[in-house]
Amino acid sequence: TRSPSAATTATAAVVDSAKTGEIEVYVTSDINADISGTVTVSAARFDAAADDAPVVVASTDYAMDARGAGQVLTTSVDDVLAAVGASERSEAFVLVASTSGEGDDAQTSVTYLYLDDFANVALQRAAIETTVASESSRASKTMATITLTSNATAAFVYLETDHAILPGHFSSNAFHLLPGDKNVASVEFIGDGEFTTEELEAVLTVRSLRDTTKGIGWRDRESFKWARGSANRTRAMPATGVAGVAGRRVRRA
């Protein structure tokens, strides 16, 4: 799924009300024209098997004035949990997809909503496979495409290189990766100078939240400080950093 910039699409903001048990979805458009689109709320389990598709809970069409904003959909936490057979908030999460435009002009943004602190979530160890494609050059910058798949749900997948050896930046980071070969994430690495595929592979590190929390039932509050704070501050958006090193396999396209 593409997540274009806000300048070219309408994005969804999600509010989870602990008092009412409702999930409210709002759409904000930065487009200088009236638009119409669809918002879909889906649910998934953290322990989902590979290629288990998220379950659609609710969906609605919307129409929005130029640079408009407003609430477009309401559903409940109970409906989300029931859709995937979960009894606790810690077992599931929410995906909200906002699509606007038609055909080749269609743009989709996806927002994740986490229903509980990650201290309470039984994250599985994810084996993330990374493929580095051949490098290319544009405007004096060298770039390479990195694709990632995982055998288990991976929260806050974070890529980095040793900046002292290979400085540069990634087009996206700290994202959620669903399990299975059908759920592929594609990220561009843009180097500050020239580099080869082999040089990128040698210094590329892939991390996820599971490697920080050390897995099921771990309750050390000091070690969970980062995970709790991140979940409380940014439940509906990616975190900005992850500690720990994940196991990964790198292969060349």
Side-chain angles (χ1 to χ4, degrees), residues 50-224:
D51 294 325
D52 278 356
V55 178
V56 175
V57 178
S59 183
T60 188
D61 296 330
Y62 67 86
M64 190 72 60
D65 294 336
R67 294 187 172 272
Q71 184 176 349
V72 297
L73 187 150
T74 301
T75 188
S76 71
V77 173
D78 287 342
D79 287 346
V80 166
L81 298 180
V84 291
S87 58
E88 302 291 340
R89 281 173 168 255
S90 59
E91 298 174 1
F93 57 95
V94 178
L95 305 85
V96 180
S98 174
T99 302
S100 59
E102 299 179 353
D104 293 339
D105 295 327
Q107 303 282 345
T108 299
S109 65
V110 179
T111 300
Y112 287 84
L113 175 67
Y114 304 108
L115 303 174
D116 202 351
D117 289 345
F118 275 101
N120 303 321
V121 175
L123 293 171
Q124 298 181 333
R125 181 175 295 281
I128 300 173
E129 182 170 320
T130 305
T131 301
V132 180
S134 299
E135 67 274 8
S136 61
S137 297
R138 184 190 309 162
S140 73
K141 296 287 187 178
T142 302
M143 298 174 293
T145 301
I146 304 165
T147 58
L148 305 95
T149 58
S150 177
N151 68 333
T153 299
F156 303 140
V157 176
Y158 194 80
L159 294 80
E160 65 179 344
T161 63
D162 186 331
H163 198 74
I165 299 174
L166 183 54
H169 66 277
F170 296 91
S171 60
S172 181
N173 225 333
F175 49 84
H176 198 101
L177 188 57
L178 298 177
D181 293 338
K182 296 179 181 178
N183 299 304
V184 180
S186 182
V187 177
E188 297 286 342
F189 175 75
I190 301 93
D192 289 352
E194 295 183 356
F195 65 89
T196 66
T197 299
E198 291 78 8
E199 289 172 336
L200 175 57
E201 290 173 347
V203 296
L204 178 64
T205 301
V206 183
R207 315 176 181 205
S208 73
L209 183 59
R210 168 60 173 76
D211 307 289
T212 301
T213 59
K214 294 187 179 178
I216 297 173
W218 197 46
R219 300 289 176 172
D220 183 341
R221 291 186 178 273
E222 280 301 309
S223 300
F224 262 121

